[in-house]
C-alpha cells in the first residue's frame, strides 16, 4: 500500500577509535547485545519490515496461537535440515515461525532477525525494503499458514482461533419472510471517518437497520413483488480472538488524492459485544473481550512507521517504572519523612522476621501478621504509602526474598539466612540500609511491578522494547501516530499458573536444545569479544635500540626491528604492565622507567613518565596503539635526553638562493632541513644558519595559505623561541646573504620577497630504453620556464645533454594518457600546470606557442582506428590540416572531411569552412579531430540517404513463409535483437537506393523527382512524384509521414542524420493535414491470419473517436457497423489492443463528457498504424493474434529471461565487490504483497 515507509537506519555510521595499524572489528563479527531490563526481545527491521515485526510480536504474545504452533512436531512439519532435499515434504513457513518464536522467547539477544522467515515467504531484498499494509499482511499470512498446515493436526489453527460469522438479514415488512446470507471473517473492518469510536462503529454496523421504502423498494422472493423491507447484520459466531482493522486511509475524490483520518477514535480496554450479537441469552462473560494488542501507524498515507503496544498476558517481561519515576518517588519519600527522627528500613525488618522462622518459607499473609505483632502496627498503616503493597515490595527485591512456585509463600534466600539482631526500631545493625527499592538488573526474572490496572503493557518498536502504562494507549486515539489495528481476546480465556513468567512453557524439546546451544555459543562469543575489546596494543621502544641524534631519538636498526608489540587488558594496572615488560625483557638490569613516546618528523620524542602502579591503564589514559619508551629515565646511549612538550624537536626547511638562474625567468632555490628544539631562541637559529651580515625570513602567509610573502625576523624577534614565532614542523625560512638582499624590496618596514609559490613538479622518463621508468622531483615556481625544468630533469635523470634538443615535456592525465606537449617558452603558470603535477619526458620537439598539437583518428570508431598525433600551425586552414593528416595516415583522394570529436567520443560537428584557419574555428591544443569519408555538401544543402519501400497493398500480412511487423515483410529467421533489447528487422523490404544532395529550400516534390533518377528503382513504373509516398526512417521502419509536396524540406525540421524511404503507389495521393493513413487488415474467417493490407485514409477533422473509426471502416468494407470488431496492433510487443465497442454504456455522470480521442492514451493512433478487423457475420472469434505473434512473444520471454539471469549475475558480483552508491529516495510504486507457499495437498 505504501512506498518508503520505514525509519532510516544510521547504524553504518561509526567512530573509529582503533589505534595505529589496527583495523576496526567488523560489526557483523560482534555478538548481538543481550536483552535489556525488560527481558523481552525485539525484532530487527530489514529496511521496511516494521509492519511485519508488529504483527509477529502480536502473534507471539497470543499464547494460544503460539502454543498451538509449537504443538506441531517434526513428524508433521518435517525438518529444516531436509529443506534442500528434492523429495522432502518440509513445511518451511510454520517451521521458521516456530524457530523465530523460540528465539524471541529464549535467545538472549536484544533483537531477533526475520531474514530466514522472509526467505521462506519467497521475498527478495527488494520486498524486504518495501513496506506494505499490515492489515493486508494479516490476511495473507493467515492464508499462507492455512495452506502450509493442510493435512496436519493444525489445519484448523486459524479458523479455531480467529474465525467468526456475520449474518446479513433482509426482513419483508409484508410477509415477514427473512432472507439471510452468512459471511465468514477473520477480522472485522470498521469505519473511522465520521465515527467517534469503536462502539459507535459497531452499533452502526450491527444494530442500526437500513430500510427499503418509497422509491427504493426490495423485491421479496416470497411475495414476488417490490415491498418495503429492513436490512440488518449481526454477529452470529464470535471467535476467541477478535481482530479489528480500522479504515484510517480514505480517498478524497475532489482533490483526487489519498489521505489519512487523524480524528479522535476511541476504543475501550474491555468491550461487551452482546448488543451486536444475534444470540444474546448467554452469560455476560461469553461476550466480554479484553484488549491485548494495538498496532500503531505513525505518518501519512505515503510514508510512516509501524510499532505495537502489547499486553504481556503471561507476564514474560520485566515491567518496571522508568528511572525518572523512580527518582521522583524516592525524592517524594524523602520529603515525606525528612521531619522524622529516624527512618526505619522495612527491608531490615522483614529480613529479621524471616530469619527467626524455623521453616524456610511462610505465607505472605502470615508475614504481615508477624510484622503487626513485632512492631505493633500493620504494613498498610506504616509502610504502604511509601513502599506500596507488601507483596509488591517483596517482588521488587528478588535478590533478598524467594517466592514459592504459586507465589503464596515467601522466604529468605540462602545467602541472607544469618542471625539478625533487631533493636526497638527494627533497624538491621549488621547491614546498611538499601536506598533503591527497584532492582534493574537482577539475576532472576522477577514478577515485576504491575501497572495500576493490573496489566503489563510494552511498546515493541522493532529492536526497541520499553514498558508503558495502560493510560498511554489513550494517546493513540488520534493524530498522525494513531491506532491502526486492534486485537481483543475473550475474558474467559485463562492462562495456567505454570505458564506465568515461564517463557519455556510448551516449547518442543528440540527447540529448547537448539536455543540452549545458541545461548551457550552467544555467551562464549561475548566473553571473547569483551576480552578482545578490552585489549590494547602497545608499541614498546627499548632504549638499547636507540641513539639520541639531532635533537631526537633514532633507531640503530630499522623502526620495525626496534619495536616490540605487547597486547594487554586495559583493565589491568600499570604495575601489571611493568611486570609483563620485565618478563619479556629477562636481561633488563636496573631501574625501569616507562615514558609516553610520540614519533615526530624529527624522530621519537619522550613526554611524561608513567607513575602509580596501582592505577589501571584505562585510568591513566593509555590509548590503543600508544608508544612507550623503556629506559632508565636519565640517558640513552650516554646522552642526556630532554623530555616533555617544551623540548619537542621541530624540522624546518631552509631555503637559499641558487648560484645560477637558468632561463632568465623565475628563481631557483637550494633546500635543506634542520632540526631545532621548540624552545631554541631565534637568535641561536640565526647564528647557526645565516652567515655574517645575512638575514633570515619566514613565510608570512601561514601553512594553510599560498606561500607567497616572506617577512624578515627583526632584532626584537631574536629573543623569542622557535614555537612562539610560529615555526613548526614543515615551516620554511629563507636565508639571504648580504649580496642576495638586493633582490628584495623594502615595503612598510618588512622585507617582501618573491610573489610566487615555491614548490615542485614530477618528471617521469619516457626516453629510456630500459623497462623501468624513473621519477624525479624538480623544484620550481609558477614563473619557472619549462625549458629550465626540462634541462634540470635531464640532469637529475642522468641522461645525455644532447636529448635537450630532441625532447619535450608532456603532462600525464589521471588515467595515464600523455597529453599535448607544453611549449618550452611557457612558464608553469602559462602552461596552466598545478604544482605537484606529473610530466612525461618524451622524444620529439615541443610545439611553439604558435603551433597546435592535435590528435586525430580515421572514422568514428576509436577501437578500429588508432589515435594519431600531429603538430600544425594555428594559422593553417582546415583543408591544409586535413591534407597533412591524410598524408600521415597514408590516405589519398579528396573524398574526406574533418569533424570535431564530441563529448560522447563520436564524430560531431563538421568543419565545413575549408578555408578558415584553425584559430578562427577555435580549435585548441589537445583537441581530437575525426577524418570522415565523404565530401561535405555545400552550405544550405542536405545529404539524405534514400530507401525504397515495397507497396503495402501488395503485401499479405500473414503466411507461413513470411511475417510482417509494422508493414515490413521479413523472414521469421531474420528476427534479431538490437543492443537495446528490441526486435529489429534485418531482412526488410527496405531497399537502399542511394544518397542525394538537395537544398534545404527545395520542396518535397523536388526530393521525389531527384530520387526517381537513382539507379535502384521500384518494380512498378512511377510516372509522377504524386505516385510516391515519403516516410522518415525510424529504427529501420517507416516513421513519420511527410505530406504536402509543395512544402520546403527545411520546414519539416528533418535534422542532419535523417533518412527517407519512398513508397510507390498505384494512383495519385493528395493527403490533407487532417487525413490519417491507416493500414487495415481484414481477418480470414476460421484462420489466425489476415488478407492483404489495405490503405485507409480517414478524415479526423471533425472527430477521432471509436464511433467515427467504426463507421469509416464499416463503410469501406460495406458491413453493418455493429458487425465488426477492431483492434490496434503493437508490433514491438506482438500484442493487439481491442478498440472499445461503440455500444458501450456511458454512465449518467460521464454522458456529457467529451469522448476520448483515439490519438491519446491508450491507442495513440498515428499514420501507418495497423488496424485489425473481424467480420462478425463470418467469424465470431475475437482473438486477433496470429501464430507469428505467439513466436514473437516466446522470443521476447526468452530475451527477458536472459536479462533476468544477467541481472542476477550482476547482483551476485555486486555482493562480492560491493560499491557505495548514492541513495536517492523516490516514492516506490505500489506492489501487491504475496507469500509463496508449497503444495501440501
Amino acid at each position: 500500500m505504501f512506498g518508503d515507509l520505514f525509519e532510516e537506519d544510521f547504524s553504518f555510521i561509526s567512530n573509529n577509535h582503533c589505534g595505529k595499524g589496527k583495523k576496526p572489528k567488523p560489526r557483523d563479527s560482534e555478538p548481538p547485545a543481550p536483552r535489556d531490563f525488560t527481558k523481552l526481545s525485539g525484532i530487527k527491521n530489514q529496511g521496511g519490515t516494521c509492519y511485519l515485526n508488529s504483527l509477529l510480536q502480536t502473534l507471539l504474545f497470543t499464547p494460544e496461537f503460539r502454543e498451538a504452533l509449537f504443538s506441531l512436531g517434526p513428524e508433521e512439519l518435517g525438518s529444516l535440515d531436509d529443506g534442500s532435499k528434492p523429495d522432502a515434504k518440509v513445511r518451511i513457513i510454520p517451521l521458521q515461525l516456530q524457530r523465530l518464536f523460540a528465539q524471541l522467547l529464549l535467545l538472549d539477544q536484544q533483537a531477533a532477525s526475520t531474514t530466514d522467515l522472509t526467505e521462506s515467504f519467497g521475498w527478495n531484498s527488494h520486498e524486504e525494503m518495501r513496506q506494505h499494509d499490515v492489515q493486508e499482511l494479516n490476511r495473507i499470512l493467515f492464508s499462507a499458514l492455512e495452506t502450509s498446515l493442510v493435512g496436519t493436526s493444525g489445519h484448523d489453527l486459524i479458523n479455531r482461533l480467529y474465525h467468526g460469522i456475520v449474518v446479513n438479514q433482509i426482513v419483508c415488512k409484508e410477509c415477514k419472510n427473512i432472507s439471510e446470507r452468512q459471511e465468514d471473517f477473520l477480522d472485522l473492518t470498521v469505519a473511522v471517518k465520521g465515527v467517534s469510536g469503536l462502539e459507535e462503529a459497531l452499533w452502526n454496523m450491527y444494530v442500526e437497520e437500513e430500510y427499503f421504502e418509497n422509491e427504493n423498494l426490495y423485491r421479496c422472493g416470497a411475495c414476488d413483488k417490490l415491498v418495503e423491507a429492513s436490512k440488518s447484520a449481526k454477529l452470529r459466531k464470535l471467535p476467541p480472538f477478535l481482530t479489528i482493522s480500522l479504515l484510517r486511509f480514505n480517498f478524497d475524490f475532489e482533490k483526487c488524492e489519498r489521505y489519512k483520518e487523524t480524528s479522535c477514535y476511541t476504543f475501550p480496554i474491555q468491550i461487551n459485544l452482546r448488543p451486536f450479537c444475534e444470540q444474546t441469552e448467554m452469560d455476560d462473560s461469553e461476550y466480554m473481550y479484553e484488549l491485548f494488542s494495538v498496532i500503531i501507524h505513525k505518518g501519512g498515507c505515503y510514508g510512516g512507521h509501524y510499532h505495537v503496544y502489547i499486553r504481556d498476558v503471561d507476564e514474560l517481561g520485566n515491567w518496571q517504572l522508568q528511572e525518572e519515576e523512580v527518582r521522583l518517588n524516592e525524592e517524594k519519600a524523602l520529603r515525606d519523612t525528612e521531619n522524622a527522627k529516624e527512618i526505619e528500613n522495612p527491608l531490615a525488618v522483614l529480613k529479621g522476621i524471616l530469619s527467626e522462622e524455623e521453616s524456610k518459607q511462610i505465607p505472605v499473609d502470615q508475614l504481615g501478621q508477624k510484622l503487626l505483632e513485632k512492631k505493633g502496627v500493620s504494613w498498610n498503616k506504616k509502610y504502604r504509602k511509601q513502599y506500596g503493597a507488601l507483596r509488591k515490595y517483596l517482588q521488587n527485591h528478588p535478590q533478598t526474598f524467594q517466592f514459592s512456585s504459586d507465589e503464596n509463600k515467601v522466604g529468605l534466600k540462602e545467602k541472607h539466612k544469618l542471625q539478625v539482631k533487631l533493636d526497638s526500631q527494627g533497624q538491621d545493625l549488621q547491614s546498611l540500609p538499601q536506598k533503591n527499592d527497584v532492582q534493574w538488573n537482577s539475576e532472576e526474572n522477577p514478577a515485576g511491578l504491575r501497572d495500576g490496572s493490573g496489566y503489563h503493557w510494552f511498546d515493541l518498536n522493532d529492536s526497541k522494547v520499553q514498558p508503558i502504562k495502560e493510560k498511554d494507549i489513550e494517546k493513540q486515539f488520534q493524530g498522525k501516530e494513531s491506532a491502526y489495528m486492534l486485537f481483543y481476546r475473550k475474558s474467559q480465556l485463562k492462562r495456567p499458573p505454570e505458564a506465568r513468567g515461564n517463557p519455556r512453557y510448551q516449547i518442543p524439546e528440540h527447540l529448547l536444545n537448539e536455543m540452549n546451544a545458541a545461548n551457550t555459543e552467544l555467551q562464549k562469543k561475548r566473553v571473547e569479544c569483551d576480552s578482545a575489546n578490552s585489549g590494547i596494543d602497545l608499541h614498546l621502544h627499548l632504549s638499547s635500540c636507540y641513539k639520541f641524534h639531532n635533537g631526537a631519538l633514532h633507531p640503530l636498526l630499522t623502526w620495525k626491528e626496534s619495536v616490540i608489540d605487547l597486547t594487554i587488558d586495559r583493565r589491568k594496572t600499570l604495575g601489571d604492565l611493568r611486570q609483563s615488560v620485565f618478563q619479556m625483557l629477562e636481561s633488563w638490569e636496573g631501574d625501569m622507567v616507562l615514558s609516553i613516546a610520540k614519533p615526530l618528523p624529527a624522530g621519537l620524542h619522550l613526554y611524561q613518565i608513567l607513575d602509580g602502579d596501582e592505577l589501571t591503564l584505562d585510568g591513566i589514559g593509555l590509548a590503543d596503539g600508544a608508544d612507550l619508551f623503556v629506559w632508565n629515565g636519565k640517558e640513552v646511549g650516554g646522552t642526556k635526553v630532554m623530555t616533555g612538550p617544551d623540548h619537542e624537536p621541530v624540522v624546518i626547511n631552509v631555503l637559499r638562493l641558487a648560484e645560477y638562474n637558468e632561463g632568465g625567468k623565475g628563481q631557483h632555490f637550494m633546500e635543506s632541513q634542520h632540526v631545532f628544539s621548540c624552545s631554541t631562541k631565534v637568535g641561536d637559529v640565526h647564528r647557526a644558519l645565516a652567515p655574517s651580515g645575512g638575514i633570515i625570513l619566514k613565510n608570512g602567509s601561514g601553512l594553510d595559505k599560498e606561500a607567497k610573502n616572506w617577512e624578515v625576523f627583526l632584532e626584537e624577534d631574536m629573543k623569542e623561541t622557535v614555537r612562539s614565532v610560529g615555526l613548526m614542523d614543515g615551516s620554511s625560512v629563507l636565508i639571504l646573504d648580504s649580496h642576495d638582499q638586493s633582490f628584495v624590496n623594502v615595503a612598510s618596514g618588512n622585507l617582501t620577497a618573491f610573489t610566487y609559490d615555491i614548490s615542485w613538479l614530477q618528471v617521469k622518463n619516457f626516453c629510456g630504453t630500459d623497462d623501468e621508468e624513473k621519477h624525479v622531483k624538480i623544484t620550481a615556481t609558477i614563473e619557472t620556464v619549462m625549458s629550465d625544468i626540462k634541462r634540470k630533469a635531464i640532469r637529475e635523470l642522468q641522461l645525455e645533454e644532447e636529448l635537450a634538443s630532441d625532447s619535450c615535456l608532456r603532462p600525464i592525465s589521471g588515467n595515464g594518457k600523455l597529453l599535448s606537449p607544453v611549449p618550452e617558452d611557457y612558464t608553469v603558470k602559462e602552461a596552466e600546470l598545478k604544482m605537484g603535477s606529473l610530466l612525461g619526458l618524451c622524444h620529439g620537439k615541443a610545439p611553439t606557442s604558435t603551433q597546435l598539437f592535435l590528435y586525430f583518428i580515421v572514422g568514428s570508431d576509436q577501437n578500429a582506428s588508432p589515435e594519431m598525433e600531429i603538430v600544425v600551425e594555428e594559422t593553417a586552414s582546415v583543408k591544409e590540416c586535413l591534407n597533412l593528416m591524410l598524408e600521415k595516415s597514408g590516405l589519398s583522394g579528396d573524398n574526406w572531411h574533418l569533424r570535431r570529436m564530441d563529448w560522447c567520443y563520436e564524430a560531431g560537428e563538421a568543419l565545413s569552412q575549408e578555408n578558415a584557419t584553425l584559430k578562427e574555428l577555435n580549435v585548441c591544443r589537445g583537441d581530437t579531430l575525426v577524418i570522415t569519408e565523404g565530401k561535405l555538401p555545400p552550405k544550405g544543402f542536405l545529404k539524405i540517404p534514400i530507401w525504397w519501400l515495397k507497396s503495402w497493398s501488395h503485401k499479405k500480412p500473414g503466411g507461413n513463409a513470411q511475417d510482417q511487423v509494422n508493414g515490413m515483410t521479413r523472414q521469421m529467421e531474420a528476427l534479431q535483437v538490437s543492443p537495446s533489447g528490441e526486435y529489429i528487422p534485418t531482412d526488410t523490404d527496405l531497399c537502399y537506393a542511394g544518397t542525394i544532395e538537395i537544398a534545404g529550400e527545395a520542396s518535397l516534390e523536388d526530393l521525389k523527382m531527384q530520387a526517381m533518377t537513382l539507379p535502384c528503382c521500384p518494380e512498378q513504373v512511377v510516372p509522377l512524384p504524386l505516385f510516391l509516398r515519403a516516410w522518415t526512417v525510424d529504427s529501420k521502419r517507416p516513421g513519420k509521414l511527410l505530406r504536402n509536396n509543395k512544402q520546403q524540406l527545411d520546414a519539416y525540421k528533418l535534422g542532419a542524420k535523417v533518412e527517407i524511404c519512398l513508397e510507390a503507389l498505384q494512383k495519385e495521393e493528395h493527403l490533407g493535414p487532417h487525413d490519417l493513413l491507416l493500414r487495415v487488415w481484414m481477418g480470414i474467417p476460421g484462420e489466425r491470419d489476415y488478407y492483404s493490407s489495405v490503405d485507409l485514409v480517414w478524415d479526423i477533422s471533425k472527430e477521432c473517436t471509436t464511433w467515427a473509426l467504426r463507421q469509416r471502416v464499416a463503410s469501406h468494407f460495406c458491413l453493418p457497423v455493429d458487425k465488426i470488431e477492431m483492434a490496434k496492433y503493437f508490433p514491438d510487443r506482438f500484442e493487439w489492443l481491442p478498440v472499445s465497442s461503440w455500444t458501450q454504456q456511458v454512465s449518467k455522470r460521464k454522458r456529457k463528457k467529451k469522448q476520448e480521442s483515439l490519438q491519446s492514451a491508450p491507442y495513440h493512433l498515428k499514420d501507418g498504424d495497423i488496424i485489425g478487423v473481424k467480420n462478425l457475420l463470418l467469424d465470431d472469434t475475437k482473438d486477433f493474434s496470429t501464430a507469428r505473434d505467439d513466436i514473437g512473444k516466446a522470443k521476447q520471454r526468452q530475451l527477458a529471461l536472459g536479462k533476468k539471469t544477467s541481472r542476477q549475475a550482476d547482483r551476485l558480483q555486486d555482493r562480492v565487490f560491493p560499491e557505495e552508491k548514492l541513495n536517492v529516495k523516490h516514492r516506490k510504486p505500489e506492489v501487491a504483497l504475496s507469500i509463496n507457499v508449497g503444495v501440501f495437498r
Side-chain angles (χ1 to χ4, degrees), residues 215-234:
E215 294 182 358
N216 183 26
L217 298 177
Y218 166 72
R219 179 170 291 278
C220 176
C223 301
D224 194 20
K225 63 178 180 179
L226 295 175
V227 297
E228 292 185 351
S230 62
K231 180 182 178 182
S232 63
K234 290 289 184 182

Side-chain angles (χ1 to χ4, degrees), residues 359-546:
S359 59
K360 293 184 178 180
Q361 293 181 330
I362 62 173
V364 177
D365 295 337
Q366 188 176 343
L367 177 62
Q369 184 64 30
K370 288 185 175 292
L371 176 64
L372 177 62
E373 296 173 359
K374 285 279 186 182
K375 304 300 297 178
V377 64
S378 66
W379 173 275
N380 289 342
K381 189 172 182 179
K382 188 172 181 65
Y383 299 109
R384 184 182 177 90
K385 184 176 180 181
Q386 181 177 351
Y387 297 102
L390 175 59
R391 182 182 294 272
K392 171 183 172 182
Y393 183 82
L394 296 172
Q395 290 172 345
N396 288 340
H397 293 79
Q399 77 283 1
T400 304
F401 305 108
Q402 184 173 9
F403 279 86
S404 62
S405 59
D406 58 359
E407 291 200 358
N408 290 326
K409 294 183 178 182
V410 67
L412 283 176
K413 286 194 172 180
E414 291 294 329
K415 60 182 180 180
H416 292 282
K417 288 185 177 180
L418 46 83
Q419 295 296 326
V420 181
K421 295 181 180 180
L422 298 176
D423 60 7
S424 59
Q425 299 296 330
Q427 179 71 35
D428 187 352
L429 302 178
Q430 300 184 16
S431 62
L432 295 173
Q434 299 294 318
K435 182 178 180 181
N436 293 327
D437 292 333
V438 179
Q439 301 297 324
W440 289 89
N441 294 301
S442 56
E443 295 180 357
E444 296 185 9
N445 185 18
L449 296 174
R450 289 180 181 269
D451 193 359
S453 63
Y455 296 133
H456 299 172
W457 283 86
F458 292 90
D459 178 12
L460 292 96
N461 191 346
D462 289 339
S463 301
K464 186 179 179 181
V465 181
Q466 59 183 9
I468 60 170
K469 293 184 177 181
E470 189 176 278
K471 63 181 181 181
D472 291 335
I473 300 175
E474 298 177 6
K475 300 176 183 178
Q476 308 304 329
F477 285 169
Q478 61 187 349
K480 287 190 174 181
E481 183 177 7
S482 49
Y484 191 55
M485 286 189 78
L486 308 175
F487 297 83
Y488 286 87
R489 57 184 287 122
K490 270 195 173 182
S491 302
Q492 284 186 337
L493 297 174
K494 301 299 181 184
R495 299 294 296 150
E498 56 270 20
R500 184 169 180 265
N502 182 11
R504 306 170 68 89
Y505 184 69
Q506 297 291 337
I507 297 183
E509 189 67 26
H510 68 281
L511 286 175
L512 288 175
N513 296 334
E514 181 182 347
M515 295 302 109
N516 288 338
N519 276 325
T520 302
E521 184 64 23
L522 268 178
Q523 188 61 28
K524 179 181 177 183
K525 285 186 177 181
R526 287 188 181 122
V527 172
E528 294 173 353
C529 185
D530 181 64
S531 176
N533 291 338
S534 299
I536 55 175
D537 293 334
L538 302 177
H539 309 303
L540 303 179
H541 303 262
L542 307 181
S543 61
S544 58
C545 300
Y546 281 81

Side-chain angles (χ1 to χ4, degrees), residues 75-361:
E75 62 281 357
E76 291 188 276
L77 301 181
S79 173
L80 290 174
D81 297 333
D82 300 332
S84 58
K85 296 180 180 179
D87 299 331
K89 199 172 184 180
V90 181
R91 304 171 192 267
I92 298 180
I93 293 179
L95 284 171
Q96 290 291 4
L97 201 55
Q98 279 187 347
R99 191 165 180 266
L100 176 65
F101 282 1
Q103 291 175 347
L104 291 170
L105 291 169
L106 299 177
L107 201 57
D108 185 19
Q109 59 182 4
Q110 185 177 358
S113 172
T114 56
T115 303
D116 293 338
L117 179 64
T118 54
E119 286 181 358
S120 72
F121 291 169
W123 293 358
N124 53 28
S125 58
H126 298 290
E127 193 67 45
E128 292 158 358
M129 292 295 291
R130 181 185 293 116
Q131 192 182 75
H132 292 277
D133 182 23
V134 69
Q135 297 176 2
E136 180 187 12
L137 173 69
N138 184 56
R139 301 179 187 113
I140 292 174
L141 180 59
F142 279 3
S143 175
L145 281 173
E146 282 185 317
T147 307
S148 298
L149 297 178
V150 168
T152 69
S153 59
H155 67 278
D156 61 342
L157 186 152
I158 301 299
N159 278 343
R160 192 169 68 246
L161 298 179
Y162 296 95
H163 176 258
I165 298 176
V166 172
V167 58
N168 294 285
Q169 296 180 340
I170 299 179
V171 181
C172 175
K173 293 294 186 180
E174 294 191 7
C175 68
K176 305 303 180 183
N177 178 60
I178 299 177
S179 173
E180 68 176 33
R181 177 172 54 87
Q182 283 194 170
E183 292 181 4
D184 299 325
F185 71 87
L186 296 179
D187 65 294
L188 292 178
T189 302
V190 298
V192 173
K193 183 178 180 181
V195 182
S196 63
L198 178 61
E199 290 98 330
E200 183 181 347
L202 293 175
W203 184 274
N204 294 341
M205 293 171 64
Y206 303 116
V207 177
E208 293 285 347
E209 293 185 344
E210 179 184 355
Y211 294 98
F212 297 94
E213 55 189 7
N214 299 328
E215 294 182 358
N216 183 26
L217 298 177
Y218 166 72
R219 179 170 291 278
C220 176
C223 301
D224 194 20
K225 63 178 180 179
L226 295 175
V227 297
E228 292 185 351
S230 62
K231 180 182 178 182
S232 63
K234 290 289 184 182
L235 296 171
R236 175 165 287 180
K237 176 194 172 189
L238 293 176
F241 296 91
L242 181 62
T243 303
I244 297 177
S245 300
L246 306 183
L247 288 176
R248 285 276 183 192
F249 298 100
N250 286 313
F251 190 83
D252 189 332
F253 287 96
E254 292 183 359
K255 297 181 179 179
C256 288
E257 63 182 14
R258 286 186 295 195
Y259 69 97
K260 180 178 178 180
E261 285 285 352
T262 57
S263 56
C264 182
Y265 189 89
T266 62
F267 47 88
I269 299 297
Q270 288 188 331
I271 187 170
N272 189 339
L273 297 180
R274 180 194 292 272
F276 318 117
C277 293
E278 183 183 32
Q279 300 175 358
T280 59
E281 64 276 4
M282 294 183 291
D283 188 70
D284 261 358
S285 60
E286 294 287 340
Y287 305 100
M288 291 301 297
Y289 280 77
E290 297 175 348
L291 184 70
F292 74 97
S293 176
V294 182
I295 293 182
I296 299 157
H297 180 261
K298 178 182 180 182
C301 58
Y302 292 111
H305 176 67
Y306 287 100
H307 63 109
V308 60
Y309 287 177
I310 287 182
R311 174 186 148 201
D312 187 6
V313 178
D314 280 350
E315 299 187 20
L316 301 177
N318 184 23
W319 191 94
Q320 293 190 1
L321 296 175
Q322 297 297 311
E323 295 180 0
E324 182 65 18
E325 292 185 54
V326 173
R327 184 182 63 80
L328 293 175
N329 289 340
E330 290 177 349
E331 291 177 357
K332 183 176 182 299
L334 289 175
R335 286 196 303 269
D336 292 341
T337 57
E338 62 183 357
N339 296 325
K341 293 181 179 180
E342 59 182 13
I343 303 174
E344 293 187 11
N345 184 9
L347 184 65
V349 177
L350 297 174
K351 285 170 61 177
I353 295 174
L354 290 173
S355 64
E356 294 177 352
E357 294 296 320
E358 296 181 359
S359 59
K360 293 184 178 180
Q361 293 181 330

Side-chain angles (χ1 to χ4, degrees), residues 54 300 417 463 468 474 499 573 581 997 1080:
S54 300
K417 288 185 177 180
S463 301
I468 60 170
E474 298 177 6
T573 63
V581 176
E997 290 186 7
V1080 180

Side-chain angles (χ1 to χ4, degrees), residues 14-26:
S14 62
N15 295 322
N16 182 8
H17 299 293
C18 299
K20 295 178 296 183
K22 186 174 182 180
K23 295 182 179 179
K25 194 171 184 180

Side-chain angles (χ1 to χ4, degrees), residues 1058-1224:
V1058 68
E1059 299 182 18
I1060 290 180
C1061 67
L1062 297 175
E1063 178 183 359
L1065 306 176
Q1066 295 180 347
K1067 61 180 181 179
E1068 293 184 12
E1069 183 176 71
H1070 301 274
L1071 292 178
H1074 299 293
D1075 289 337
L1076 192 64
L1077 177 67
L1078 301 176
R1079 316 287 196 182
V1080 180
W1081 295 358
M1082 173 60 73
I1084 301 175
E1087 298 182 21
R1088 296 181 66 196
D1089 206 348
Y1090 294 89
Y1091 293 110
S1092 297
S1093 173
V1094 176
D1095 290 349
L1096 179 66
V1097 178
W1098 176 30
D1099 183 6
I1100 60 172
S1101 58
K1102 294 183 179 179
E1103 57 179 348
C1104 183
T1105 61
T1106 304
W1107 165 242
L1109 177 61
R1110 183 176 294 276
Q1111 280 187 316
R1112 180 69 181 90
V1113 173
S1115 172
H1116 180 83
F1117 289 104
C1118 300
L1119 292 172
V1121 178
D1122 59 340
K1123 295 301 180 183
I1124 63 171
E1125 287 291 337
M1126 300 183 302
K1128 180 188 171 181
Y1129 187 48
F1130 293 89
D1132 54 337
R1133 305 198 304 263
F1134 300 96
E1135 291 180 354
W1136 294 84
L1137 178 61
V1139 180
S1140 301
S1141 173
W1142 70 282
T1143 59
Q1144 180 179 0
Q1145 294 182 357
V1146 181
S1147 66
K1148 294 180 181 179
R1149 188 173 183 179
K1150 298 182 179 179
R1151 188 165 294 167
K1152 295 182 181 180
K1153 185 178 177 181
K1154 185 178 179 181
Q1155 296 190 45
E1156 296 291 340
S1157 170
L1158 291 178
Q1159 290 182 307
S1160 58
Y1163 300 101
H1164 300 288
L1165 209 60
K1166 63 183 184 300
D1167 289 313
D1169 279 350
I1170 301 170
I1171 300 295
V1173 181
K1174 291 283 187 178
N1175 183 356
L1176 299 183
L1177 296 174
L1178 302 175
D1179 188 359
D1180 58 353
T1181 62
K1182 297 184 180 181
D1183 180 15
F1184 287 85
S1185 64
T1186 65
R1188 179 199 152 281
D1189 296 330
D1190 298 339
I1191 298 173
K1193 285 185 177 180
K1195 286 181 177 284
Q1196 284 188 333
R1197 284 193 295 269
Q1198 185 178 359
L1199 175 65
L1201 182 61
K1203 285 184 177 180
K1204 182 179 180 181
T1205 305
S1206 176
R1207 285 195 300 267
Q1208 289 175 346
D1210 292 341
R1211 282 198 295 268
L1212 180 62
Q1213 187 174 4
D1214 289 341
R1215 293 192 190 103
V1216 180
F1217 304 103
E1219 297 179 358
E1220 294 183 0
K1221 300 179 180 178
L1222 286 176
N1223 186 19
V1224 182

Side-chain angles (χ1 to χ4, degrees), residues 567-582:
T567 302
I568 190 170
D569 195 317
R570 68 173 75 243
R571 295 168 293 190
K572 289 191 175 182
T573 63
L574 181 60
D576 297 330
L577 172 61
R578 200 183 304 277
Q579 186 64 31
S580 299
V581 176
F582 266 120

Side-chain angles (χ1 to χ4, degrees), residues 930-1048:
V930 182
I931 300 177
T932 308
E933 190 172 7
K935 273 192 172 184
L936 283 174
K939 187 175 182 181
F941 276 70
L942 298 174
K943 194 171 185 178
I944 303 176
I946 301 296
W947 300 75
W948 289 109
L949 174 65
K950 184 177 179 181
S951 177
W952 280 74
S953 60
H954 293 87
K955 296 184 183 180
K956 179 180 172 63
N960 297 327
Q962 292 186 333
D963 211 18
Q964 179 179 341
V965 172
N966 202 13
M968 287 183 290
T969 306
R970 76 180 81 125
Q971 299 290 338
M972 278 306 300
E973 302 85 37
L975 275 176
Q976 291 189 1
V977 180
S978 71
S980 63
E982 180 188 358
Y983 286 98
I984 61 172
T986 59
D987 187 23
T988 68
D989 279 352
L990 278 177
C991 175
Y992 180 68
T995 303
I996 64 173
E997 290 186 7
I998 189 169
E1001 298 176 351
S1003 65
L1004 178 61
E1005 185 177 13
D1006 296 334
L1007 181 142
K1008 293 179 180 180
M1009 286 288 292
Q1010 192 169 342
M1012 290 169 62
T1013 64
L1014 293 174
C1016 183
C1017 200
E1019 298 175 359
Q1020 65 266 34
V1021 178
V1022 181
L1024 293 171
L1026 293 175
F1027 285 78
L1028 287 177
R1029 183 184 293 156
W1031 305 81
T1032 61
V1033 178
D1034 186 11
S1035 300
K1036 298 187 179 180
R1037 295 173 179 167
K1040 178 183 177 183
L1041 177 62
L1042 303 180
R1043 59 188 80 215
N1044 189 356
N1045 282 334
K1046 301 301 180 181
Q1047 185 164 312
Q1048 292 184 356

